[in-house]
Amino acid sequence: MLGNLIRGREERAVSFQTIFASGGNVAQQTYAGTIITQDTSLKIGAVYACVRLLADTISTLPVDTFYREGGARKPFRPKPLWVENPDIGTAREDFLQQAMVSLLLDGNVFIRIFRTRTGEIISLVVLDPTRVEVRRNLATREIEYLLDAGTGTTLRADEVLHITELRKPGALRGVSRIDEVKQSLGLAAALEEFSARFFGSGSVTAGIIEWPGNLTREQAKDLAAGFEEGHKGLKRSHRPGVLFGGARFVKTGVDPNEAQMLESRQFAVEEIARIFRCPLHLLQVSTPGAMSYASVEQNAIQFAQYTLRPIISKFETALSSLLPGPAFVKFNLDAILRGDIQTRFAAYSTGQLAGFLSVNDIHRLEDMPPADGGDEYRVPLANVNLAAANIVETDRKTQMLTRLIMAGFDPAESLKALDMPAIMHTGIPPTSVQSVASINPADPASVYP
């Protein structure tokens, strides 16, 4: 107690994180009899597929830095080096993949920030979440991070980026979905182990050998070993068996079809996909109803909106805190939401005719070289340059002015009514009265009777 008063906090050599990562049978055995940890969960095929899908998708998205000025988003340059190369020998894709695996399995991402003496960021390193303990300093009430459970280094809050997937009220650490839903994962692991043992045992159910008389322990072992030697294993699964002396084999196991093993495994895959919020068709599930060609595009949009965007938003907020002032980090989801070529070109045509996309804007979206004069925007009415858009309006006003004058209205008053400037008349009569060739420029009024 005296030591605690002097130090101001308790230091433990063993934490929950170290126990959880050890893989030992410490409150990790599920009702199905399997042990689920972050490492063992990846051995489940559906979990591995979900983690790879989310980690690979987000880690390969384009990332850039921007700032806003007058409501417009502009590139922030020069782009910090850590955006593309967070650490020496670590590309951006590898860095984000490590962070995603940490978030999906542990529910936490701890990114250690290394700075120069001037405060410039030189390196970002994703820490092993099972070796990090989050606590609040009793003296300063600030959050700090303890590495290796009391035997390592204590880091301040400004030295670590902490991203959580789901945090309970009042908790300092995020919730691990592996720990929360380990019963469902345990069932999936048990089904996989059962299938492997079923085929490894020769695809026969368990049973007992009945002997009419009494056997010694050694005789019983020899009888069981002899039966297993001839039938255990996939290669011996169809060999005929011979029992003699009145022995009889009695099946005691449940047939896989009766236990609905295939249906249970299919349901386990759907349950894991639900836990990770992954569409079934992206996990290569081809059961009826899992995928429809008419719904693939909508599934992609929902996957981006409800699965990827919440995660990306957390990463953008955390990484943007490392940039100065109003600058921010932005992940580009356009590559995922792009439709087929016909749909894209139809959208480009609509944008160009509406006047908010130029030819070079479309070229940039399609990774094509810019075209000469392609930066001009066009208006939808006559498909002319924006700079010449008033020509259409002027032409219509001129036609109205002509009709007013031909109807006998005063030209000056007609110009004023149409809000047009006064125009000096040359005095030359229109061609409808006299051809231009017969008009004397010195005395144009002579053509009038």
Side-chain angles (χ1 to χ4, degrees), residues 399-410 413-415 417-418:
Q399 294 177 12
M400 294 176 63
L401 177 65
T402 302
R403 290 197 297 267
L404 290 174
I405 294 177
M406 294 296 294
F409 289 93
D410 182 79
E413 294 297 327
S414 299
L415 287 171
L418 294 175

Side-chain angles (χ1 to χ4, degrees), residues 33 40 141 234-235 290 292 322 335 357 411 415 439:
T40 60
R141 300 299 299 165
L234 185 60
K235 294 181 179 180
S292 169
L322 303 178
L357 282 180
L415 287 171
I439 297 176

Side-chain angles (χ1 to χ4, degrees), residues 315-356:
F315 276 92
E316 288 177 343
T317 301
L319 296 176
S320 297
S321 65
L322 303 178
L323 295 176
F328 59 92
V329 175
K330 187 71 175 177
F331 286 71
N332 190 353
L333 275 171
D334 292 341
I336 296 179
L337 299 177
R338 294 177 68 180
D340 58 272
I341 187 169
Q342 183 176 359
T343 304
R344 295 202 313 272
F345 284 4
Y348 294 153
S349 177
T350 302
Q352 185 181 16
L353 292 177
F356 63 85

